[in-house]
Amino acid sequence: EVQLVESGGGLVQAGGSLRLSCAASGFTFDDYAIGWFRQAPGKEREGVSCISSSDGSTYYADSVKGRFTISSDNAKNTVYLQMNSLKPEDTAVYYCAAKLGPPKLLPDQYDYWGQGTQVTVSS
């Protein structure tokens, strides 16, 4: 059974940091790309960052470049999202997802999803 479990969300003040984790199981991790997405109330789900588990290539949405860093620990089948300099507009439910093939920031291309973790940034 494929499982993606996010953790690490919480409440933080603007300018603060959080590190999200996505623990994956039930599939061959190295064959998949992992993406982080977020959805704020009343808004569509948007791509934040993604990484190839095979070659480590990474991609970021313009809104998070220079503030967020995605990384992968293939030995632990876990992907991390380090979020620094957080802003109130980063408040959302953050999801990780998995897809075969190259990483993309398009939610519709992902096959498996976690349950999400809430990130709230206060001003």
Side-chain angles (χ1 to χ4, degrees):
E1 178 189 5
V2 173
Q3 279 195 320
L4 296 167
V5 180
E6 303 96 335
S7 60
L11 173 64
V12 64
Q13 287 189 332
S17 299
L18 284 173
R19 188 176 81 154
L20 305 183
S21 299
C22 172
S25 61
F27 59 92
T28 304
F29 189 75
D30 290 357
D31 291 342
Y32 281 73
I34 304 295
W36 282 101
F37 300 85
R38 66 187 181 187
Q39 188 165 19
K43 295 189 176 182
E44 292 187 354
R45 191 168 296 188
E46 63 172 349
V48 174
S49 183
C50 53
I51 186 168
S52 167
S53 300
S54 59
D55 65 14
S57 55
T58 59
Y59 301 88
Y60 297 92
D62 288 344
S63 58
V64 306
K65 278 181 184 176
R67 300 189 298 124
F68 291 11
T69 302
I70 192 170
S71 61
S72 178
D73 185 338
N74 286 27
K76 295 182 178 180
N77 285 6
T78 300
V79 171
Y80 304 98
L81 185 69
Q82 178 67 44
M83 306 187 295
N84 298 330
S85 303
L86 282 162
K87 305 175 181 180
E89 51 264 43
D90 294 318
T91 296
V93 177
Y94 283 70
Y95 301 88
C96 67
K99 69 178 290 293
L100 280 170
K104 301 287 185 184
L105 287 175
L106 301 172
D108 290 349
Q109 296 201 5
Y110 284 74
D111 302 307
Y112 305 109
W113 290 83
Q115 82 288 351
T117 186
Q118 176 71 46
V119 171
T120 303
V121 184
S122 63
S123 57

